[in-house]
Amino acid sequence: MSEFPSPTSIRALIEQFILDRFLTKTEKLAPDDPVYLKLQQQFDPQTWLADAARRVSQLQVVTHSLKAIHPDAKGTNLYVEPGQLKRRELVGSHCLPADFEGDVVGNAAALDVYKFLKLTWEERSLLERALDGDEALIEALSQDRVEAESWVRAFADIVEPKGTPSSHARGKQIYWLVGDNPASDEDYRLLAPLYATALTHPVHARLSEARFGDHAKAGRKARREDAVFQGGYADYLNLSVQKLGAPSPRTSLSSIASVAGRTICSPRYHPNGSHVRSRPLYALSRFFPVSEGGHQ
């Protein structure tokens, strides 16, 4: 990425972003090349912004995605801020901080628009400003206020679901008992679970840092050498890795593609650590002996 002085306004930040993309696209082209001249017109700030406001409809920012369940699933994805979720004792998306990062699904060719919306000015992203109808962003986008306001609305719509709520044949579906009679169909609700991408990505980052970060490596080295180490480190045992996404990262979630489809899974233990005596199904003890430790 090209080096620029720090921008002094939102408008300068926007123009810097567009110029940097133009320079990247044209770094191997001569100024008199017809392709260079075409790209020069395409990356004129107002032309690019108008095109970005059109292409943003091809994307959706999400916190819960169907795409990770199956890369070809084409159902509803959701954007739900943590503050809108019910607080629970167990870990969930409600634990995320106010400055959490969502994920994005849609046409990979339009991902530059999402990168644009992630630009930050005075500790607020352009997406946050668009969602709030920020006056400073409106003034920075265009001298034509009507045009600028329409662009802001288009950018803010990136968090809205596309079409009517729906699942897909390649998504998962679970019948969940909500009543007292397991034999009654009316006591079940059909659930379509989504992948909590806004939660799993920071968890993956934290676990990766604990496993492979320089601080953790130094701590383990000190332990092997029986040396003093300040700060401590954490070990997460019995982890497994689940592979998600399509063969091509362009068809996957942005966060999944960034970690090559690897999702770290922790072991599932009983909350109080005790073992539950288990019995084999159908009393087939001659084939499945009872285990005191809860495992067959």
Side-chain angles (χ1 to χ4, degrees), residues 5 11 18 31 79 92 112 128 142 145 162 214 221 238 281:
R11 181 67 189 190
I18 297 172
Y79 178 87
D112 58 317
E128 290 177 291
S142 175
R145 185 175 181 86
K162 312 301 181 186
D214 292 339
K221 182 175 183 293
N238 302 322
L281 294 174

Side-chain angles (χ1 to χ4, degrees), residues 129-149:
R129 291 177 178 274
L131 291 172
D132 291 341
D134 181 64
E135 188 66 27
L137 177 61
I138 293 173
E139 293 179 356
L141 288 177
S142 175
Q143 294 181 355
D144 184 333
R145 185 175 181 86
V146 174
E147 179 180 62
E149 288 178 342

Side-chain angles (χ1 to χ4, degrees), residues 17 57 60 70 73 96 109 143 165 204 206 209 230 247 255-256:
F17 174 83
S57 63
Q60 183 191 352
H70 194 288
L96 291 169
Q143 294 181 355
H204 183 281
R206 178 176 294 187
E209 179 63 25
Q230 298 294 329
S255 65
I256 290 178

Side-chain angles (χ1 to χ4, degrees), residues 30 89 112 118 134 143 174 242 262:
E89 294 182 359
D112 58 317
K118 289 178 67 177
D134 181 64
Q143 294 181 355
I174 300 173
Q242 182 183 15
R262 294 186 300 272

Side-chain angles (χ1 to χ4, degrees), residues 168-231:
H168 189 267
R170 292 181 175 174
K172 292 182 179 179
Q173 297 181 355
I174 300 173
Y175 280 101
W176 192 264
L177 181 66
V178 295
D180 298 325
N181 184 7
S184 171
D185 290 347
E186 295 181 354
D187 281 5
Y188 287 89
R189 295 292 181 271
L190 183 60
L191 305 182
L194 300 177
Y195 183 79
T197 179
L199 175 65
T200 55
H201 194 53
V203 169
H204 183 281
R206 178 176 294 187
L207 291 176
S208 296
E209 179 63 25
R211 298 173 71 198
F212 309 117
D214 292 339
H215 180 82
K217 289 180 180 178
R220 294 189 185 94
K221 182 175 183 293
R223 181 180 181 181
R224 290 193 301 270
E225 298 174 355
D226 198 22
V228 176
F229 181 72
Q230 298 294 329

